[in-house]
Amino acid sequence: METQSAPGPRFWRYARPFACRGHDGLVLIDSRLDGLFSTLLIDGAEVAHDHTPAAGPDAIRNHRLSASLADGREVAVEAGYISLVNVAIAVRVDGFLVHQSHPGRTIAFPARAARWISQQTATGKPAYDMDKLRRNKVPIFVDIATGLLFFVVAKLTDLRTAALAGAAVGLALLVAQRFVKTDLIGGLALFGIVMLLISAGFAVLFEDYEMIKQRSTIVGLIGAVCFLFDGVVLKGRRLGHGLGRYMVYSDIDEERLAIGMGLVGIVMASTNWLVARLFSTDVWLFYTTFGDVALSVGMILLVVRWARRAGSQPVAA
């Protein structure tokens, strides 16, 4: 039985009451960012608890909670998932089943999800680190906030004003980082601001319609070069590392991730150039609205799969 002194944020709490030989029993099960936590109460008093992590082989086991009643009989509770969104308990007294919260249902993690969540790396560590997002919440929040700021300012004013606001925020973050220990710019905030400034610059400098259509090509190639430089020269320590903070995988190769994203940028930029040059404006508009999103998502999924280290092997559920 495991304990943890500082559990992460709670997603949901399940309450499973039961009657047990004249006693009132209750099992509270908390689904949290860093795992599943269960507590057994008899007549309002906490008598047992258990915890499983959010990922790794131990994540899919059922919880076992046991205690002795006043008359010496032993009560044992089995608790766990019966689906991806629901949990159940089975209560036994001296080995005899006396209560089921969901009669007829097998308490076991769904097989397909169990194979995914129980994967581990070659070193035996879980392949999925659900607590990673909590550890990196500040730089992730900064990334999202700066992006939203640019969007809102652009909507309320114009692209040039939004670009200047983004530059001001970027400089302020750089100055603030020198005085605080908390990581503010470890994500992709500054890179995003630079790319937005470049995009805004093209929008301001070039009025030609064909240049507007090719803006995604030019900006995409610049971004691709930055990712490739980070992957090949810096071994993913900058952009690869910043992007990796958004992912729960603990076996991400940041060098491969940066190189892969650079290649995605080249493919996306080249595809936009071809569609803009070879097809009508209506086709280009349809592609930029729907096609490029589907294409980029598919390629990014392939990059993530490639970036995960080959040592990650699934553990049988």
Side-chain angles (χ1 to χ4, degrees):
M1 183 171 63
E2 299 181 47
T3 62
Q4 196 173 77
S5 58
R10 179 192 299 156
F11 294 134
W12 197 260
R13 164 166 281 190
Y14 303 89
R16 296 291 181 260
F18 62 92
C20 177
R21 298 292 193 266
H23 298 276
D24 293 325
L26 176 65
V27 178
L28 297 176
I29 304 172
D30 289 340
S31 175
R32 297 180 179 270
L33 183 64
D34 49 352
L36 196 68
F37 296 76
S38 62
T39 302
L40 171 62
L41 296 95
I42 301 294
D43 295 329
E46 179 181 326
V47 294
H49 49 86
D50 199 356
H51 160 242
T52 47
D58 196 44
I60 62 174
R61 72 167 177 84
N62 292 339
H63 285 200
R64 306 288 179 176
L65 305 157
S66 61
S68 297
L69 299 175
D71 58 7
R73 287 177 293 183
E74 187 76 13
V75 56
V77 178
E78 181 181 13
Y81 282 102
I82 54 175
S83 71
L84 291 177
V85 295
N86 202 9
V87 299
I89 65 169
V91 183
R92 290 176 171 82
V93 176
D94 287 343
F96 294 96
L97 183 66
V98 297
H99 175 81
Q100 289 180 291
S101 63
H102 295 71
R105 299 291 298 273
T106 300
I107 303 178
F109 217 100
R112 181 175 298 181
R115 286 193 295 271
W116 179 84
I117 204 170
S118 62
Q119 284 186 332
Q120 58 183 345
T121 66
T123 61
K125 296 181 179 180
Y128 301 89
D129 183 3
M130 301 300 182
D131 199 37
K132 189 176 182 181
L133 297 179
R134 184 176 67 162
R135 295 196 303 270
N136 295 302
K137 62 183 178 182
V138 174
I140 290 175
F141 173 79
V142 171
D143 288 356
I144 296 173
T146 51
L148 289 175
L149 174 66
F150 184 91
F151 177 79
V152 171
V153 174
K155 282 292 186 181
L156 296 178
T157 58
D158 53 56
L159 196 59
R160 182 179 298 177
T161 303
L164 293 174
V169 169
L171 292 174
L173 288 172
L174 280 174
V175 173
Q177 187 66 85
R178 299 178 63 88
F179 298 97
V180 298
K181 294 182 178 180
T182 303
D183 186 7
L184 299 176
I185 55 177
L188 297 175
L190 290 182
F191 177 72
I193 290 172
V194 170
M195 296 308 296
L196 287 171
L197 285 171
I198 294 173
S199 180
F202 277 103
V204 172
L205 294 175
F206 298 102
E207 300 293 337
D208 181 73
Y209 197 66
E210 288 302 316
M211 283 300 300
I212 292 175
K213 291 168 65 175
Q214 294 296 351
R215 186 176 61 184
S216 296
T217 298
I218 299 170
V219 174
L221 286 175
I222 294 173
V225 169
C226 292
F227 268 102
L228 288 174
F229 179 83
D230 179 61
V232 175
V233 178
L234 302 180
K235 306 303 181 183
R237 292 192 297 270
R238 299 293 185 182
L239 298 180
H241 178 70
L243 183 59
R245 291 189 169 198
Y246 287 95
M247 302 177 182
V248 297
Y249 306 109
S250 61
D251 55 354
I252 280 284
D253 187 316
E254 294 171 350
E255 179 181 352
R256 282 192 174 192
L257 183 62
I259 293 173
M261 291 303 297
L263 296 176
V264 168
I266 291 176
V267 173
M268 295 301 298
S270 302
T271 304
N272 183 80
W273 182 84
L274 287 172
V275 173
R277 293 284 294 177
L278 301 179
F279 298 94
S280 66
T281 299
D282 289 339
V283 173
W284 176 80
L285 287 172
F286 180 84
Y287 168 75
T288 56
T289 304
F290 302 104
D292 63 344
V293 175
L295 179 61
S296 61
V297 169
M299 288 193 297
I300 289 171
L301 291 176
L302 291 176
V303 167
V304 170
R305 179 179 296 182
W306 179 65
R308 295 186 61 195
R309 297 190 179 97
S312 180
Q313 298 293 336
V315 177

